[in-house]
Amino acid sequence: GEDVEQSLFLSVREGDSSVINCTYTDSSSTYLYWYKQEPGAGLQLLTYIFSNMDMKQDQRLTVLLNKKDKHLSLRIADTQTGDSAIYFCAERNSSASKIIFGSGTRLSIRP
Amino acid sequence: NAGVTQTPKFQVLKTGQSMTLQCAQDMNHEYMSWYRQDPGMGLRLIHYSVGAGITDQGEVPNGYNVSRSTTEDFPLRLLSAAPSQTSVYFCASSRPGGQGTQYFGPGTRLLVL
């Protein structure tokens, strides 16, 4: 079945780049997403990438997709304290009826 | 638009009690889903619906029922609550086409004693 995996924690220094990685199993995924969850809140879409793209850039965010290895990454440039959150990778299945989420990566920023 | 709303925000139940978590959206989205979030396990899909009158099971459906009588509402029922159902529950909605962005409600924290 579909599965999405992420590491649970990442700690970076303020001002450095953060790279959050994700692997997925469904080779027929159409869209892949990064969601952000701040403490006590629901999830908000950060960015998404269509499966026929390799890269997408949106201001400080860069998404890289390696479809052959089924690997997705999110790079946050110049990481700030406001970027502290849990980041979820997710894929949309081929029938487009449901989205499968990873376990989330908790990003913490140190001064 | 209010987006996706959930009630209650917080609930304490005793083992064996029943309750319904409410979810409503005013964006005319066809797709709606329920997830539970547990530490270290991310979001797990409980049930989902692709339109009024149509529901299907997700990864962890046991102990939960859903119905979808209208496009706007997608209630989640716990028939006999168990401590293992202590969790944070999120409802989400999306359109079937396009990039399928899911819009999430603020969540319901449920504690089962």
Side-chain angles (χ1 to χ4, degrees), chain A residues 24-71:
Chain A
Y24 60 97
T25 58
D26 187 354
S27 57
S28 61
S29 296
T30 52
Y31 285 93
L32 295 118
Y33 309 88
W34 285 104
Y35 282 82
K36 178 182 181 182
Q37 184 184 32
E38 295 183 352
L43 277 71
Q44 285 190 302
L45 180 70
L46 261 186
T47 187
Y48 66 92
I49 188 166
F50 188 50
S51 57
N52 69 353
M53 296 168 65
D54 298 325
M55 186 181 90
K56 181 178 180 182
Q57 188 146 6
D58 183 2
Q59 299 183 333
R60 290 192 298 126
L61 305 178
T62 304
V63 178
L64 295 177
L65 175 60
N66 181 329
K67 212 173 170 190
K68 175 174 166 288
D69 294 338
K70 300 192 191 70
H71 182 267

Side-chain angles (χ1 to χ4, degrees), chain A residues 33 35 37 45 88 92 96 99, chain B residues 31 35 37 96 98-100 102:
Chain A
Y33 309 88
Y35 282 82
Q37 184 184 32
L45 180 70
F88 290 91
R92 184 177 181 184
I99 295 179
Chain B
Y31 289 179
Y35 296 87
Q37 183 178 24
Q99 74 271 20
Q102 288 214 327

